Amino acid sequence: MTRPVLYLFGSAAPPVREFPEVVRRAQAEGFEVCVGLTPTAARWLADDVGDLAEVTGRPVRSEYKMPGESDVWPKADVILVAPATFNTLNHWALGLTHHFVVGVIAEGIGKAIPTVTMPCVNAAYVQHPQFDQSIATLRRAGVTVLYGSGGFEPNQPGERRAEGYPWHLAFAAIEQIVSRWP
């Protein structure tokens, strides 16, 4: 059996800096990993991009390919979008696909690729009326959104949790998806 292909996509929130460890964990759990980053997240991880490409055997992508270029990644079996910022979630829910990551995950809904997302937003952002609408839109579209009880719970602006970002919840969700395959 071939290893399932995981598209691991991250936005510019502090947990994206943990991607080198997250990629190794995903590989240890049996996934072939392709890493995609929003443009700002790519800048944050500029020193790690080469290592991530080497470890995964695939280029790290943050931009669309040119028309006519062949795709350098295999097709995704599952997508994990974490950390997902306020901006990324709202763009995705609204179908605003000017960034590579958002374009792929928006299209993934139409292709029925199982997708899990876990926000990383603070308590001030979630007060904006669009946030709840975006979460509801993504859930209606079939995206597993790990937010609220049993998922990511917002902290106050400028605070970080001592226990860190709950990556274990994201991994449990993608493992559950893969375990249902024949």
Side-chain angles (χ1 to χ4, degrees):
M1 180 177 162
T2 61
R3 298 186 316 156
V5 175
L6 169 67
Y7 283 10
L8 175 62
F9 290 156
S11 306
V16 81
R17 292 185 171 137
E18 300 166 15
F19 259 37
E21 296 83 24
V22 173
V23 166
R24 285 191 286 279
R25 177 178 178 177
Q27 289 174 322
E29 293 190 17
F31 290 97
E32 180 176 346
V33 182
C34 298
V35 175
L37 302 167
T38 63
T40 303
R43 285 197 314 273
W44 286 18
L45 292 180
D47 292 340
D48 296 310
V49 166
D51 290 339
L52 288 168
E54 185 175 327
V55 167
T56 63
R58 305 276 178 196
V60 173
R61 295 189 58 194
S62 60
E63 295 182 11
Y64 286 108
K65 65 181 181 65
M66 295 298 293
E69 287 182 349
S70 59
D71 203 340
V72 294
W73 285 0
K75 291 186 184 328
D77 293 309
V78 62
I79 300 171
L80 173 59
V81 186
T85 61
F86 178 79
N87 192 43
T88 295
L89 289 166
N90 288 326
H91 277 111
W92 183 11
L94 293 169
L96 303 174
T97 61
H98 59 283
H99 293 305
F100 166 74
V101 164
V102 178
V104 173
I105 57 181
E107 189 175 43
I109 290 170
K111 290 180 173 181
I113 300 169
T115 303
V116 174
T117 189
M118 189 161 55
C120 185
V121 294
N122 67 41
Y125 277 124
V126 302
Q127 298 306 309
H128 191 285
Q130 184 58 49
F131 184 76
D132 285 340
Q133 291 178 39
S134 292
I135 295 297
T137 296
L138 293 172
R139 285 179 171 153
R140 280 193 309 273
V143 175
T144 300
V145 181
L146 303 175
Y147 174 71
S149 180
F152 180 84
E153 295 190 33
N155 48 290
Q156 291 304 311
E159 290 182 4
R160 289 199 55 146
R161 288 191 173 74
E163 70 273 15
Y165 190 67
W167 286 109
H168 65 284
L169 299 174
F171 275 96
I174 61 174
E175 288 292 341
Q176 184 177 24
I177 289 167
V178 172
S179 72
R180 292 185 288 220
W181 292 353

